[in-house]
Amino acid sequence: MTGSSAASASTREALILAGEQLFGEHGIDGVSLRQINSAAGQRNSSAAHYHFGSKEALVNAVYEYRMERVNHRRLDRLADIEAADEPPDVHTIVATIVLPIVDEIQHSDGGSHYIRFMAQMIGHPRVSLVELWNSRFGEGLSRVIGLLREALPDVPDTIIGQRFGLMWEQAIHALADRERLSGGEEADEMIEPDLFVSNLIDTVAGGLSAPISDATRAALKRR
């Protein structure tokens, strides 16, 4: 990589990380490209526009910056699952969703900013969860959904799809809330990492595999 290419890549990463932090703290609509330029230490006020073209493109770049690593970890876990003799249960499958995200939060610089950004992103009215899952780093999630269908053969695809969306949002917001609460002694006792994450996986697995009520079955038939 030439010196100019390295400088460009460094600037791009600085903008991504600054955007991630500001979006996580203030929301996507509460931050301008000019503010991100300033936070990234860029004297050129058009640097973010030059590298990304728009705020929407920068938001996508932030998502992909982290998701590349998260997806790699998820694929490693899926390879271990698929190499085993026994089909995975729902709890094991859910762990492949949650734990790669937790690893990124706990073991990478800016992990706390990452999960707060994710909570802001998935709650934004112009962000489609389906498009996120189908992005170029969404292979792991696609395979997870396939495993869930196999593990829950009596649950219709429509219900699995809805529950997956609900549980995904629950997991992201729960992890983001935990990061916001971290710091105080009492809070840390309530949200001790291993217990919190394990209980979160239990909760998500329970939601995905919950019995389908008569009311839900009736609504499904009316579709």
Side-chain angles (χ1 to χ4, degrees):
M1 184 179 291
T2 66
S4 60
S5 296
S8 178
S10 177
T11 297
R12 189 176 189 278
E13 182 176 46
L15 290 165
I16 285 173
L17 293 175
E20 179 182 65
Q21 180 174 356
L22 291 179
F23 289 143
E25 292 175 350
H26 305 292
I28 292 172
D29 292 333
V31 179
S32 68
L33 290 182
R34 183 179 295 275
Q35 289 172 308
I36 293 169
N37 280 326
S38 178
Q42 300 302 306
R43 295 180 179 177
N44 183 348
S45 62
S46 63
H49 189 272
Y50 171 79
H51 282 275
F52 301 101
S54 67
K55 185 162 69 171
E56 181 182 45
L58 174 56
V59 169
N60 290 336
V62 173
Y63 175 79
E64 291 189 351
Y65 176 82
R66 298 287 184 180
M67 190 50 60
E68 182 175 10
R69 292 198 292 269
V70 171
N71 186 56
H72 181 75
R73 295 189 188 102
R74 186 168 289 132
L75 291 176
D76 286 344
R77 288 181 174 275
L78 285 168
D80 291 339
I81 287 173
E82 291 163 356
D85 293 334
E86 296 291 330
D89 58 19
V90 173
H91 188 278
T92 300
I93 298 169
V94 169
T96 69
I97 302 171
V98 175
L99 293 181
I101 296 172
V102 172
D103 287 344
E104 186 69 15
I105 296 169
Q106 295 181 344
H107 303 302
S108 67
D109 291 340
S112 178
H113 301 149
Y114 158 64
I115 194 59
R116 297 184 196 192
F117 161 78
M118 285 293 291
Q120 296 282 3
M121 186 182 191
I122 66 172
H124 195 275
R126 293 194 300 275
V127 173
S128 166
L129 287 180
V130 174
E131 289 182 7
L132 290 183
W133 299 334
N134 291 331
S135 70
R136 65 192 182 104
F137 297 120
E139 179 188 355
L141 282 177
S142 296
R143 286 166 60 180
V144 164
I145 293 174
L147 288 174
L148 283 172
R149 290 193 176 110
E150 294 175 9
L152 299 167
D154 297 329
V155 180
D157 282 355
T158 298
I159 300 300
I160 286 181
Q162 289 186 0
R163 288 182 176 183
F164 188 86
L166 290 168
M167 294 301 102
W168 170 264
E169 291 196 40
Q170 179 186 34
I172 295 297
H173 283 294
L175 290 169
D177 286 345
R178 183 191 175 283
E179 286 301 304
R180 280 190 285 267
L181 290 171
S182 295
E185 182 177 338
E186 182 178 351
D188 285 345
E189 185 176 321
M190 293 172 60
I191 54 178
E192 188 276 328
D194 290 343
L195 175 60
F196 184 88
V197 171
S198 181
N199 192 37
L200 175 61
I201 292 171
D202 291 346
T203 302
V204 171
L208 287 166
S209 55
I212 303 174
S213 69
D214 291 340
T216 299
R217 291 189 185 278
L220 186 62
K221 287 182 180 180
R222 288 195 295 271
R223 289 181 74 250

